[in-house]
Amino acid sequence: MKLHGPALRLTVFVGDTDTWHHKPLYHEIVHRAHSAGLAGASVFRGMEGYGASNHIHTTRILSLSEDLPVAVVIVDAADKIRSFLPQLDELISEGLVMLDEVEVIRYAGRAAGQGGRR
């Protein structure tokens, strides 16, 4: 799938303990994005943060590390991202969704001997 030029970035912030039918919520979001044919999705776990509860969650050793922030980032053409939003309505009871216009520059894998790792 080729994506180059203007696109929309969808970022979904949830907690790492949020679930959908006994599975991690971020897992369900990624799998639905894949099934919807979106160009790509990645999950990033935060080391520290807070949200609507105003309670700081952290990975620091002396603190309990529960419900750490997780960001699911999905990038594709604006129409495809916007058509995916109703699925999030079904999945997310508490979280934050952001949409940003971005410009995509895609680098594809190179053949051996063409400037890869040495």
Side-chain angles (χ1 to χ4, degrees):
M1 183 175 303
K2 186 175 182 182
L3 183 62
H4 186 84
L8 203 59
R9 174 178 51 204
L10 167 66
T11 306
V12 181
F13 293 97
V14 294
D16 70 346
T17 60
D18 294 347
T19 60
W20 174 259
H21 293 220
H22 309 291
K23 293 181 186 174
L25 177 58
Y26 60 84
H27 174 82
E28 184 66 19
I29 294 169
V30 168
H31 283 266
R32 286 192 184 202
H34 184 260
S35 294
L38 297 178
S42 297
V43 178
F44 302 93
R45 175 176 281 160
M47 297 177 61
E48 186 168 74
Y50 68 93
S53 70
N54 212 23
H55 180 263
I56 294 179
H57 306 275
T58 182
T59 59
R60 287 180 294 147
I61 192 130
L62 297 177
S63 302
L64 290 175
S65 59
E66 61 181 48
D67 202 27
L68 292 171
V70 171
V72 182
V73 179
I74 304 169
V75 178
D76 207 324
D79 60 331
K80 291 176 117 183
I81 292 290
R82 291 192 186 283
S83 68
F84 183 70
L85 293 176
Q87 293 206 46
L88 297 179
D89 290 340
E90 177 186 345
L91 295 173
I92 299 173
S93 59
E94 184 176 331
L96 177 69
V97 174
M98 295 185 341
L99 295 171
D100 301 294
E101 292 180 1
V102 296
E103 183 175 349
V104 174
I105 301 171
R106 183 176 181 264
Y107 292 93
R110 300 177 194 190
Q114 292 186 350
R117 291 186 180 182
R118 298 193 192 280

